[in-house]
Amino acid sequence: MNTLEQVSLNAGVPDASEMRFGIVVAEWNDGINSRLLKQALDTLHEFGAGEQSVTVKHVPGAFELVFGANQLAQHGFVDAIIVIGTVIRGDTPHFDYICQGVTNGISMLNAEGKIPCVFGVLTVENKAQAEERAETKGREFAITAIKMVDYAWQLQK
């Protein structure tokens, strides 16, 4: 991400001190996902979200993120959900099925749900691409969640 993109992303980030977030993290590719999670948590706290305002849940893999997010949304104690996962292309079509299923599932949650669900799934060709994206994407996911909660709240006024 270049400096201009960073400035644009950080511009106008609202105070998150009254917001509640859920993060659902896939255990598969944990080395990458744990870095994304740390960035997301650090960013949420940087913009005011308290420790008690963030719920983190783990699911086995990327495909299970949709169920995890849906369950968290149904309980109603969060204002936005971030799903974090990494899918790395292999030698079989499994990559395509998982990516399509997760993308469709999160899209459906956003279209039909009452709270925003941020798509924080890296879909990459190889581990090197995942490592590169793991440098900044967790922060982007968190800022997007904060901005989407603010967007939803502005519509309720």
Side-chain angles (χ1 to χ4, degrees):
M1 178 184 313
N2 66 40
T3 305
L4 184 57
E5 289 172 326
Q6 288 175 330
V7 169
S8 175
L9 179 67
N10 292 336
V13 179
D15 175 38
S17 62
E18 299 298 318
M19 299 177 183
R20 300 163 303 155
F21 300 93
I23 304 177
V24 183
V25 185
E27 294 169 346
W28 194 259
N29 291 314
D30 183 58
I32 300 293
N33 298 341
S34 61
R35 288 170 48 199
L36 295 168
L37 173 62
K38 181 179 182 333
Q39 290 171 25
L41 290 170
D42 289 348
T43 303
L44 292 173
H45 298 317
E46 174 187 340
F47 288 100
E51 295 286 332
Q52 300 299 321
S53 300
V54 183
T55 300
V56 177
K57 298 291 185 183
H58 292 83
V59 296
F63 197 78
E64 292 77 27
L65 290 169
V66 176
F67 179 82
N70 187 40
Q71 292 297 300
L72 202 53
Q74 286 183 25
H75 283 72
F77 55 83
V78 296
D79 300 307
I81 297 169
I82 304 167
V83 297
I84 294 177
T86 303
V87 185
I88 301 172
R89 186 178 297 280
D91 296 330
T92 68
H94 182 73
F95 172 89
D96 299 314
Y97 302 137
I98 297 300
C99 292
Q100 182 177 14
V102 175
T103 301
N104 290 344
I106 299 304
S107 294
M108 189 168 28
L109 288 176
N110 275 311
E112 298 176 0
K114 296 186 186 300
I115 63 170
C117 188
V118 175
F119 186 82
V121 180
L122 303 182
T123 56
V124 295
E125 295 294 321
N126 53 55
K127 184 146 182 164
Q129 284 182 349
E131 293 286 344
E132 179 183 328
R133 285 170 175 79
E135 295 300 318
T136 59
K137 291 295 183 183
R139 180 174 181 81
E140 291 178 31
F141 304 152
I143 289 173
T144 299
I146 294 167
K147 287 182 174 183
M148 290 305 296
V149 170
D150 185 63
Y151 175 85
W153 285 3
Q154 294 302 319
L155 293 175
Q156 294 173 5
K157 290 183 178 179

